[in-house]
Amino acid sequence: MELVKKSYRISASTAEMLKTIVEKENCTEVSAVENAIRYYKDYLYMQTDGAFISESVKRTFLASVNLMETRLNNRTNKVLSELAIQQAIICQVLAHELEINPRALDNYRRAAVEYLKMNDRVFRLEDILEE
C-alpha cells in the first residue's frame, strides 16, 4: 500500500474527539482517520447509490457465507468418500462371491445408467425388481 503524506486543519473540538477515539480504540490517529473516511465513504454510498448494506457489512456477510460453504463442502466430501469406500467393499464382496461374465457386467452398467437418466437419478429397488 502506497502512503501519501497530507496535512489538514481540523477544529479543536474535532481534534479532541480524535484524541478520545485514539485512546479508547488504542490505535494511531492515522488509522482512526482512515477508518473514519472509509465509514464516511460507505455512508455517502448508501445515500447516493441507494445501497441497502454498507461495504463492511457486505464483506462480513460474504466471508461468513464462504466459511459456511467451505465447511459444508468438507462435510459433503467426507460423506461421499465414506459412501464410495462402502460401495467399493460391496462391489468387491459381490465380485468375489458371484461369477459374473464381464460382458454381462457391462450390460448391467449400461442398463443402470439408462435407468438413472430416465428417472432423474433416483434409484428405487422396487422399480428395478418389477422389470
Side-chain angles (χ1 to χ4, degrees):
M1 175 169 71
E2 184 180 334
L3 297 176
V4 178
K5 186 174 183 175
K6 295 272 185 171
S7 297
Y8 296 101
R9 295 175 189 243
I10 57 174
S11 66
S13 63
T14 304
E16 198 59 39
M17 283 189 278
L18 179 59
K19 182 180 175 185
T20 305
I21 291 170
V22 166
E23 289 172 356
K24 182 179 178 187
E25 297 296 320
N26 195 22
C27 63
T28 65
E29 286 186 1
V30 172
S31 65
V33 171
E34 283 181 348
N35 284 336
I37 292 171
R38 281 191 199 100
Y39 289 130
Y40 188 66
K41 181 191 93 155
D42 285 346
Y43 169 79
L44 290 177
Y45 178 77
M46 290 184 65
Q47 297 299 318
T48 58
D49 294 335
F52 292 109
I53 57 174
S54 67
E55 286 296 313
S56 60
V57 172
K58 180 180 165 185
R59 281 192 305 272
T60 304
F61 180 75
L62 289 176
S64 296
V65 168
N66 288 337
L67 180 63
M68 191 173 11
E69 191 174 73
T70 301
R71 287 179 180 168
L72 185 61
N73 285 341
N74 289 341
R75 288 182 182 164
T76 303
N77 290 340
K78 285 180 182 177
V79 169
L80 290 175
S81 176
E82 184 60 32
L83 285 173
I85 291 168
Q86 295 300 321
Q87 167 130 23
I89 292 170
I90 291 170
C91 289
Q92 288 177 6
V93 168
L94 283 173
H96 181 70
E97 297 297 322
L98 300 175
E99 292 180 18
I100 299 175
N101 183 341
R103 285 188 213 127
L105 186 60
D106 191 44
N107 289 338
Y108 290 139
R109 184 182 188 324
R110 268 194 240 113
V113 168
E114 288 301 316
Y115 175 83
L116 291 173
K117 282 182 183 176
M118 291 173 31
N119 293 293
D120 295 325
R121 300 246 179 234
V122 175
F123 178 77
R124 291 186 181 88
L125 186 57
E126 55 269 6
D127 294 343
I128 295 292
L129 294 176
E130 290 175 2
E131 293 179 3

